[in-house]
Each structure stands twice: as C-alpha cells, then as structure tokens.
Amino acid sequence: MAGVLKRLVPKRFRKDEGIAIPVVRLHGAIMTGGSQFRPALNLATVAPMLEKAFSRKDAPAVALSVNSPGGSPVQSRLIYQRIRALAEEKNKRVLVFVEDVAASGGYMIAIAGDEILVDPTSIVGSIGVVSGGFGFPELLKKIGVERRVYTAGENKVILDPFQPEKEADIEYLKTLQLDIHKVFIDMVKARRGERLAEEETIFSGLFWTGTRGVELGLVDGIGEMREVLKRRYGKNTKLELIGGARSLFGRRLPGVISGGVSGGPGIGSGGEIASAAVSGLAASLEERALWSRYGL
C-alpha cells in the first residue's frame, strides 16, 4: 500500500531516492535448447528479460553484465540484434560490463553496448570462427563394426566422423567459416569504428586481457558496474536486477515460463526428468570445453 501511495505523489514532492538502472545478466555458453537442469544463453531465454529492462521508462540506460566464452554465432547475433533494436526503439543507452570473459560470441553480444567496460583481468576478443569434432574411422574396424549409410545426394554425409577425412570436405567447411567470420568482422567494425587500433591480430581469433582490450579499442575502459553507475547517475542510484522464472528446483531460469499442461505443475515424468538430466550433462560438458579455452 505504501508503494502505491508513493507513486501517487508527484515526483517533485518526493524525497530524492535516486533512479533505478535495470541490469540484465547475460552469462554462460551461447547455445540453443537448454533445460531446467542446465539453462542456456540464447534469444529465447533472454528476450523476456531484455523487453522488461528496456520498458523501464524512467531509466536512462540499461546495464548488461556479460560473462560468456561464446558458442552459437546465430544466437549471439540474434541477441545482439534484439538489444540494438530495443535500444533504438526505447531510446536507451546500453552499458556493457564484462566480468570474466566476453569472447567470440560473447564479444559479439558485448558490442551491442554503446560503451563496454571491463575488469583489467577480463578476457575479451577471440573474433574468429571455430569448428571441432572427432574422427572414429579406425575404431569401427577394431571393434568389428561395419558402418552402412545410404543417402540421396552425394554430399549428404560430408564431414562424417566415421569416415576418413576428405580434403574437399575441409575446404567446404572453411568457406562457411570465412563467411561467418566476415559477418563478425563487419559487425565489430560497424560498432567500434575508429576506436579500433590498427592492429593486424584483432581479427585473427586471439584474445586479450581487459587492459590490452582498451589499448586495442575492443572495449572502452576499466570499470565496475555499481561504482560506474553511481558515479554517473548519482549516489542514490539503484541497480535493479531483471530476473526470469524459476525451475522446479527453485533455480532461476532466464526467460523460461514454468508450468504444466492444463494448470498442472511444471514437473514431468521420471523419464522426462532423466532425459533432461542427460541432456543437461552433455550441455555442461560442451560449456566446460568453451570456458577451458580461456583458462576458466
């Protein structure tokens, strides 16, 4: 009741309580899917939080906390595009604060910010494209298994891990990587412009500390979110964390609405839970591999 009454009082008569800056956490590996056991960072999970943050009429800016080693280039670009579209539609300044890492797809999301601030020990960059996998052609022979594949289309089994590697397949994959890399480079140049240093290695896939990132123009400066926002918008400025729904275990799921069919609880059968757990384990291993590239 007190909160309702307070809003009825004209702002000029209220005690100065400071403004609230909405904060959205964009943390984790960027990938499609996800589950209640292992939420993923993608457009579906973050879109509701972004919409909510940018809808705060009294907030002059939206703060984004980015901590991601990358992942899906498509999801990275979709999140980037949604942030820029909302910023222009709502006329909001976007401030990005990098925590441990904003690399590869994580950096692609970070450049959606009008300003990028980092810790001196943050990792930034890795503007490149990588594909990885394993080959098992000799394994099948050793265990006495014959692989049989029937296709319509001569390239349907391109890059099959159970067949010897083909030079033509590798060359084709590289053309795809170059196309994606060019899109990434164009995005960085469009957003960072003349702030970028004339350094040949910027687009080579290398990554740097936050301090070196400032020198290269990949980021704008060193700064911690709370301190920066209070210095710019007043000592009474509040940081309002925008969260998502919660999973059946109480863990917050960004942008995921929990609930079952026809009003039932959002808890599936034992088989569904087990399947989700296995899927979550696989996603966890994939995410750990992404983080490990940066020593994290």
Side-chain angles (χ1 to χ4, degrees):
M1 179 61 72
V4 175
L5 294 175
K6 186 181 295 185
R7 287 194 294 270
L8 295 176
V9 177
K11 287 185 178 180
R12 64 180 181 274
F13 296 123
R14 298 181 202 168
K15 182 181 177 180
D16 182 16
E17 298 179 345
I19 60 176
I21 302 295
V23 178
V24 178
R25 298 175 77 247
L26 303 176
H27 289 202
I30 305 163
M31 57 184 71
T32 57
S35 69
Q36 57 197 4
F37 296 95
R38 196 74 185 180
L41 177 57
N42 53 52
L43 182 62
T45 60
V46 304
M49 293 189 297
L50 291 173
E51 294 282 350
K52 187 175 180 180
F54 280 95
S55 68
R56 295 292 194 268
K57 294 182 179 180
D58 294 335
V62 171
L64 304 178
S65 171
V66 175
N67 194 10
S68 174
S72 165
V74 174
Q75 292 300 318
S76 303
R77 183 169 164 78
L78 288 174
I79 294 172
Y80 162 89
Q81 290 177 314
R82 182 62 56 88
I83 293 168
R84 290 313 313 158
L86 288 169
E88 294 171 14
E89 177 186 336
K90 305 295 184 180
N91 191 28
K92 303 284 187 186
R93 185 168 179 78
V94 180
L95 302 175
V96 169
F97 295 87
V98 177
E99 293 195 6
D100 298 274
V101 59
S104 194
Y107 183 70
M108 183 184 288
I109 291 175
I111 61 174
D114 297 300
E115 191 172 351
I116 306 173
L117 298 168
V118 297
D119 183 86
T121 60
S122 297
I123 298 297
V124 296
S126 191
I127 303 170
V129 181
V130 61
S131 299
F134 299 93
F136 308 99
E138 299 301 320
L139 176 63
L140 297 183
K141 294 179 181 179
K142 289 182 179 181
I143 62 177
V145 175
E146 179 184 358
R147 178 165 168 77
R148 299 171 180 174
V149 181
Y150 310 98
T151 70
E154 60 185 20
N155 293 312
K156 192 62 179 177
V157 289
I158 188 172
L159 298 171
D160 186 340
F162 294 100
Q163 294 184 7
E165 208 169 31
K166 300 177 183 177
E167 191 63 32
D169 292 359
I170 299 171
E171 289 303 314
Y172 182 73
L173 177 61
K174 287 182 177 179
T175 63
L176 298 182
Q177 291 178 323
L178 289 173
D179 286 346
I180 297 171
H181 194 199
K182 183 179 184 304
V183 171
F184 197 173
I185 292 172
D186 290 345
M187 290 173 66
V188 175
K189 288 182 176 180
R191 290 297 299 166
R192 302 301 300 172
E194 296 180 355
R195 288 176 285 187
L196 291 173
E198 295 184 5
E199 171 62 55
E200 293 181 358
T201 60
I202 284 181
F203 302 116
S204 70
L206 284 178
F207 45 90
W208 299 270
T209 63
T211 301
R212 180 61 175 150
V214 174
E215 297 172 356
L216 293 172
L218 293 169
V219 299
D220 297 289
I222 306 297
E224 186 270 330
M225 182 185 293
R226 183 176 182 277
E227 184 275 328
V228 169
L229 295 179
K230 284 183 174 289
R231 172 161 42 86
R232 294 191 182 184
Y233 298 107
K235 63 180 181 180
N236 293 327
T237 298
K238 298 178 179 63
L239 279 61
E240 180 186 0
L241 181 63
I242 306 298
R246 293 185 180 275
S247 71
L248 63 88
F249 297 113
R251 183 174 182 177
R252 190 170 290 280
L253 299 179
V256 179
I257 306 294
S258 61
V261 179
S262 301
I267 301 177
S269 66
E272 290 173 334
I273 293 176
S275 176
V278 172
S279 177
L281 176 60
S284 178
L285 293 173
E286 181 179 353
E287 183 174 357
R288 185 177 293 275
L290 286 170
W291 285 108
S292 67
R293 292 190 62 228
Y294 307 101
L296 300 169

